[in-house]
Amino acid sequence: MYDDKIPMPRVKKRQSHRNNVPADNAFDYYKRAVWYPLLDQTVEDLRTRFSESSKVVMRVSQLLPEHCNDAKAVDCTVDVFRQYADHLAGMDVCKAEFERWQHWCSRLEPEQLSNSVSGALALCDTTLFLNMRTILKIFATAGGDIFSQPRFI
């Protein structure tokens, strides 16, 4: 249609309803009007998606029965406990409770291991794992069952 030549839009001095970047050719125009804003938006989206609070949210997957006995689970859960310390009994109590949770989950059959927050809540006893249940409740109500999706595991 254009014979390998992309036309440059008309540029007016007083244009106010669309992008009006100065450029000598179509390549420079589209680079300034489309490519640079796209890169800026992508970088901002990545910063938002991988902010410190988002990283803590992703670490909650280590509380799930299927992953709680992984090697890095203790470090990840300490970060989660710190983030939500206002809602929990205390760091030492939470660590001890998490160790009980690990031991309890290690005794479950493989088909009983849950990979979702709602499944972990169903397995979590209120009297034995009060703090664990509190954290799981926070994430169960924070936008649905976000950890059952494969991208977080």
Side-chain angles (χ1 to χ4, degrees):
M1 179 175 180
Y2 294 111
D3 298 325
D4 293 331
K5 291 183 180 180
I6 298 173
M8 191 168 110
R10 293 178 293 175
V11 177
K12 301 289 183 188
K13 292 184 190 244
R14 294 190 57 195
Q15 189 169 345
S16 61
H17 295 292
R18 68 176 173 177
N19 216 347
N20 195 21
V21 294
D24 296 332
N25 56 38
F27 179 79
D28 288 339
Y29 175 82
Y30 286 109
K31 181 171 71 172
R32 292 175 186 155
V34 177
W35 180 245
Y36 290 155
L38 176 70
L39 282 179
D40 288 342
Q41 184 62 43
T42 303
V43 168
E44 187 58 35
D45 287 346
L46 288 172
R47 280 191 186 126
T48 302
R49 180 152 183 118
F50 296 109
S51 66
E52 284 304 313
S53 60
S54 296
K55 289 177 187 175
V56 170
V57 168
M58 287 188 271
R59 290 181 183 137
V60 171
S61 66
Q62 296 297 316
L63 296 175
L64 302 178
E66 189 171 316
H67 302 289
C68 70
N69 287 311
D70 294 347
K72 61 182 179 177
V74 174
D75 296 332
C76 291
T77 55
V78 167
D79 293 338
V80 173
F81 294 148
R82 276 194 198 115
Q83 177 80 20
Y84 297 99
D86 295 343
H87 305 286
L88 305 173
M91 187 60 73
D92 294 333
V93 174
C94 290
K95 286 180 185 177
E97 190 173 303
F98 181 68
E99 288 175 9
R100 275 196 320 266
W101 176 252
Q102 284 180 310
H103 179 69
W104 189 80
C105 291
S106 68
R107 295 183 299 144
L108 292 174
E109 296 294 323
E111 60 272 359
Q112 290 178 307
L113 292 176
S114 177
N115 198 23
S116 68
V117 175
S118 58
L121 268 170
L123 294 172
C124 192
D125 184 68
T126 307
T127 56
L128 290 175
F129 307 112
L130 181 63
N131 293 306
M132 292 293 297
R133 189 163 180 83
T134 302
I135 291 289
L136 291 171
K137 275 186 191 177
I138 289 171
F139 287 99
T141 57
D145 207 358
I146 57 177
F147 297 110
S148 61
Q149 299 173 7
R151 67 175 180 229
F152 289 130
I153 290 143

